[in-house]
Amino acid sequence: MGDKIIEIKHLTKHFGEHEVLKDINFSVKKGDVTSIIGSSGSGKSTLLRCINLLEIPSGGEILYKNQNVLEMKNIPEYRSKVGMVFQSFNLFDNMNVLQNCMIGLTKVLKEDKEQAKKEALHYLEKVGMSPYINAKPKQLSGGQKQRVAIARELAMKPDVLLFDEPTSALDPQMVGEVLNVIKTLAKEGFTMIIVTHEMAFARDVSNYVVYMNDGIICEEGTPDKILKNPEKEETKNFLERFINI
């Protein structure tokens, strides 16, 4: 594996009196696929939102290629390098699929329209959505919207992709199509941090699993270690509800 892309040191986050993240430390190297698992309310999504600066940490450091992201001047540029795919897709309803994928390229990366169109088409084809380039989001299924959202982030050529429960808003029959796209990206060597409640997927796609509980990293390691042979009681109790991992 390569150099560290993201390094988190002593990260904390409070909402009022409530401490959501408590002294979080971990790092992600180039080519890593890290799955973050844990119950609702354990701090997983807040951690992801802090990495992308959608939430500003209360303390600690987030380093991107050894730079402290809290000191960066150009946040949109940083976010283009650390792309985020949300559970609710966040597509622009007034734009068609192609326009949704081009807007970051033209507005943030300042590419000309022809170049942006070419790249957007390439990534839409990659996720199986090129037949739908003229469709508006309201004409698409949830799985199709999520694949467009993934293509939109890929077009920005990020160094790392963050996925916040990418299948939680989907009907069961659509989950597979999105997970297959993410599995393909993992095989191609994309660096990803994935908050997921799909344990079998975490096992198959990740080389590292982080189990969070009550705002701390309770246990971390390879999928085999965490999902099959956890040491901590909390991890065992959490995984008991997922048979057949």
Side-chain angles (χ1 to χ4, degrees), residues 58-71:
S58 305
E61 289 182 303
I62 300 168
L63 303 178
Y64 161 72
K65 296 185 171 177
N66 296 320
Q67 283 180 283
N68 187 345
V69 304
L70 298 170
E71 294 168 1

Side-chain angles (χ1 to χ4, degrees), residues 18-116:
H18 184 44
E19 193 175 23
V20 184
L21 297 175
K22 309 164 187 173
D23 197 27
I24 300 285
N25 298 276
F26 83 106
S27 60
V28 176
K29 296 193 184 82
K30 188 172 171 56
D32 274 351
V33 179
T34 301
S35 286
I36 303 176
I37 62 171
S39 304
S40 294
S42 58
K44 310 182 300 295
S45 291
T46 302
L47 172 56
L48 221 52
R49 291 172 70 84
C50 283
I51 293 172
N52 205 33
L53 296 185
L54 290 168
E55 299 286 356
I56 301 303
S58 305
E61 289 182 303
I62 300 168
L63 303 178
Y64 161 72
K65 296 185 171 177
N66 296 320
Q67 283 180 283
N68 187 345
V69 304
L70 298 170
E71 294 168 1
M72 284 182 179
K73 299 285 184 280
N74 192 337
I75 301 305
E77 187 186 356
Y78 165 67
R79 286 203 185 118
S80 75
K81 296 295 179 207
V82 181
M84 184 137 167
V85 176
F86 299 87
Q87 49 187 299
S88 54
F89 326 124
N90 287 23
L91 298 177
F92 296 107
D93 289 331
N94 60 332
M95 296 181 185
N96 67 24
V97 164
L98 183 59
Q99 291 163 334
N100 262 287
C101 281
M102 286 172 61
I103 187 159
L105 296 170
T106 54
K107 290 273 190 275
V108 180
L109 301 187
K110 306 287 188 244
E111 289 187 4
D112 69 69
K113 280 225 164 77
E114 277 312 302
Q115 180 63 21

Side-chain angles (χ1 to χ4, degrees), residues 26 60 67 100 114 119 122 140 162 164 183 185 190 203:
F26 83 106
Q67 283 180 283
N100 262 287
E114 277 312 302
E119 290 181 27
H122 168 74
L140 303 176
L162 312 177
D164 186 12
K183 281 180 185 171
L185 298 178
F190 278 89
R203 176 201 65 205

